[in-house]
Amino acid sequence: MGGGFRRGGEGRLGFGAMRLPGMPGRQPVDHTTAVAVARRAVELGVTHIDTAAFYTRGASRANEILRRALRPYPDGLTLATKVGPGQDVRAAVEQNLTELGRDVLDLVYLQSGRPDETLDERFAQLAKLREEGLVREVGLSNVTRAQFAGARTVAPVAAVQNRFGVHDQSDAVLVDECAEAGVMYVAHSVLGGGRVRFTDPALRTVARRHGASVYQVALAWGLARSPTLVQIPGTASLTHLEQNMAAVRLELDESEIAMLERLA
Ligand SMILES: NC(=O)c1ccc[n+]([C@@H]2O[C@H](COP(=O)([O-])OP(=O)(O)OC[C@H]3O[C@@H](n4cnc5c(N)ncnc54)[C@H](OP(=O)(O)O)[C@@H]3O)[C@@H](O)[C@H]2O)c1
């Protein structure tokens, strides 16, 4: 798939654009900073950016920041976007095309709103847009194993985007199923969405040993955890972005990986 999925660490450390327009309850992000963060992400080797037309704050929109920052988009960059629960599938795809200024979207997820929801009909609508050439690959987000299995009978699933990280390994079986099936598993909220304190002693011990931050260890663990796992840490800070990207160079040994696997 368009450069977003490589087995080495670099292509698997992506960037989440949700915070670029700013987040409720946080300091607003000025447009110049947001554009600079998106550009720097690509300079630092990001080839997979996660976005959505509904990542907005006031008049500020993640898709438009990306368009301003990155067009003409570099070869090999995957821009992944979403159809949210309850959204009209075609209208959502068309909105993303317009906002991003693209003729075709690299990867579009159908997001589930509930674990007991059957996604098959809406996933078929999205797959049809792939046949029409508006979308290259289709995926699923916030899905259960049963929803993944069901949708796979409708159309090939290129990627699953769910919450997973060193602090929350409850989706581990699906991570492994995706690896076995060669499906990209995109982990969101890998740094706990800013709400989790990474105070676990094992995490801190490993971080101290490497002279790294706990966030860098969390990301390095994710890279080691599965060869098809892509992470999309979110930040509106250039400093945090640089720190996160440096995690690609952090190699944990088997015992450290095992220590962290027992965390959650
Ligand atoms: N499919 C879904 O339902 C879904 C849900 C949520 C998110 N997502 C996607 O996943 C992406 C990531 O989500 P997220 O941003 O909520 O969660 P996240 O990546 O787990 O955490 C981001 C939080 O960590 C902070 N942070 C980032 N790097 C840091 C560092 N090096 N040191 C200290 N703090 C750091 C950020 O603050 P600063 O801005 O201050 O750095 C922010 O508060 C989003 O951009 C979006 O694309 C998808």
Side-chain angles (χ1 to χ4, degrees):
M1 89 153 300
F5 172 30
R6 300 202 188 110
R7 275 172 197 268
E10 253 160 62
R12 295 191 295 111
L13 197 47
F15 174 73
M18 183 175 79
R19 290 173 186 274
L20 292 183
M23 296 286 285
R26 300 202 54 161
Q27 283 280 89
V29 181
D30 69 82
H31 190 72
T32 310
T33 303
V35 166
V37 169
R39 285 194 182 137
R40 188 76 184 123
V42 171
E43 277 169 16
L44 290 171
V46 164
T47 56
H48 185 114
I49 298 183
D50 188 72
T51 185
F54 48 80
Y55 291 165
T56 65
R57 188 174 182 204
S60 187
R61 315 185 72 82
N63 280 350
E64 283 168 6
I65 292 165
L66 294 175
R67 184 176 65 179
R68 177 75 61 89
L70 302 176
R71 245 184 34 146
Y73 296 110
D75 289 343
L77 175 69
T78 291
L79 285 178
T81 184
K82 309 181 186 77
V83 174
Q87 283 193 305
D88 179 84
V89 174
R90 182 178 290 274
V93 163
E94 284 172 353
Q95 184 182 3
N96 279 288
L97 282 166
T98 306
E99 288 184 0
L100 288 167
R102 301 205 97 168
D103 299 325
V104 53
L105 297 172
D106 300 315
L107 169 62
V108 180
Y109 301 99
L110 179 67
Q111 238 182 2
S112 170
R114 291 193 331 262
D116 59 348
E117 180 185 9
T118 303
L119 299 171
D120 301 6
E121 197 183 316
R122 282 161 59 71
F123 196 58
Q125 289 170 19
L126 184 57
K128 184 163 179 294
L129 300 185
R130 178 172 176 257
E131 281 160 29
E132 288 179 26
L134 297 184
V135 172
R136 261 187 214 109
E137 304 272 19
V138 292
L140 302 163
S141 179
N142 296 336
V143 285
T144 62
R145 291 170 59 208
Q147 286 173 319
F148 172 54
R152 289 183 85 194
T153 66
V154 174
V157 176
V160 169
Q161 182 183 129
N162 277 4
R163 178 191 306 271
F164 183 74
V166 72
H167 62 291
D168 179 356
Q169 298 174 33
S170 51
D171 213 25
V173 175
L174 186 49
V175 169
D176 292 336
E177 281 176 1
C178 284
E180 270 161 40
V183 171
M184 174 162 61
Y185 182 102
V186 177
H188 74 68
S189 310
V190 278
L191 302 179
R195 293 179 299 276
V196 175
R197 295 187 64 219
F198 284 82
T199 52
D200 184 274
L203 198 53
R204 290 162 76 125
T205 301
V206 175
R208 244 190 329 269
R209 231 185 250 170
H210 288 271
S213 76
V214 286
Y215 302 101
Q216 289 173 319
V217 172
L219 294 170
W221 178 84
L223 291 174
R225 173 61 180 75
S226 160
T228 70
L229 195 135
V230 172
Q231 298 173 99
I232 47 167
T235 184
S237 147
L238 280 169
T239 308
H240 287 168
L241 172 70
E242 306 245 354
Q243 291 168 355
N244 294 346
M245 291 309 292
V248 169
R249 295 188 291 280
L250 182 58
E251 281 197 27
L252 307 180
D253 67 29
E254 290 300 324
S255 71
E256 291 169 334
I257 293 165
M259 241 164 101
L260 299 176
E261 192 127 353
R262 284 195 293 271
L263 255 188

